[in-house]
Amino acid sequence: MSPESADLIELEPAPGSAINRRLTLVRSDGRSAVLMGSVLVHSWTDDDMVAQRVAAVALVNGHLAHRRELARALAVHENTVQRWVRRANSEGVSALVPIKPDRKVAYKVTDEVRGRIAQARVQGLNGTQTRTWLREEFGIELSRGHVFAVLQA
């Protein structure tokens, strides 16, 4: 039978994008899902980055996908996926929860430092003067942002 005379069957394209030969990532209505054929393997809402990370770690650890494949599908760097896997394997899945960006402030601004800043406020020092006073009198180095954050609290 020649190609011109054959009746061709038109197939709908499979939804989603291939992660690899076995897995497909489907995104729809604020949700993402990984399918193996027609079987749901993992799903998460698009605003739940921790669930996405857990899914990626499970797929890598289960040898269902390589980190490079997942990185491409999830639009992150391969090293990011590797970091998720390493953290989860060494510290548990709770390590996949992002650390708040103000973690350094809490680390640097101890109760002692807060007390010194309160003392400077009582003396009538402004933020810049407080920063200089902390550095010269106590050897405490804080950015202007740290000092002003404590003064605002």
Side-chain angles (χ1 to χ4, degrees):
M1 191 191 263
S2 70
E4 293 85 30
S5 65
D7 290 330
L8 298 178
I9 300 171
E10 289 192 33
L11 298 175
E12 293 291 322
S17 56
I19 295 173
N20 59 27
R21 290 185 338 219
R22 297 183 289 181
L23 300 176
T24 304
L25 175 64
V26 178
R27 296 182 187 267
S28 178
D29 298 325
R31 295 195 55 83
S32 295
V34 175
L35 303 173
M36 180 183 288
S38 61
V39 177
L40 177 66
V41 180
H42 285 281
S43 69
W44 61 91
T45 57
D46 290 343
D47 61 349
D48 189 353
M49 300 310 295
V50 175
Q52 175 182 302
R53 293 170 183 181
V54 169
V57 168
L59 293 169
V60 170
N61 285 346
H63 304 287
L64 295 173
H66 189 273
R67 65 180 183 259
R68 180 176 293 131
E69 297 167 334
L70 287 169
R72 186 181 64 246
L74 299 174
V76 297
H77 195 277
E78 182 181 346
N79 292 347
T80 300
V81 175
Q82 182 59 35
R83 193 170 44 250
W84 296 342
V85 170
R86 206 171 331 168
R87 281 185 187 158
N89 290 344
S90 66
E91 302 170 41
V93 293
S94 63
L96 300 176
V97 178
I99 298 170
K100 292 183 179 182
D102 60 351
R103 183 172 177 245
K104 272 189 168 177
V105 174
Y107 170 75
K108 284 186 167 187
V109 184
T110 62
D111 289 338
E112 176 192 355
V113 172
R114 288 182 203 284
R116 301 278 187 212
I117 292 173
Q119 184 181 356
R121 183 184 290 169
V122 169
Q123 292 177 11
L125 301 178
N126 66 26
T128 303
Q129 292 167 332
T130 298
R131 186 171 172 240
T132 303
W133 178 70
L134 288 170
R135 184 178 59 246
E136 291 174 356
E137 294 294 320
F138 306 103
I140 300 171
E141 283 287 339
L142 291 178
S143 70
R144 283 183 46 201
H146 286 145
V147 172
F148 285 107
V150 173
L151 289 172
Q152 298 295 319

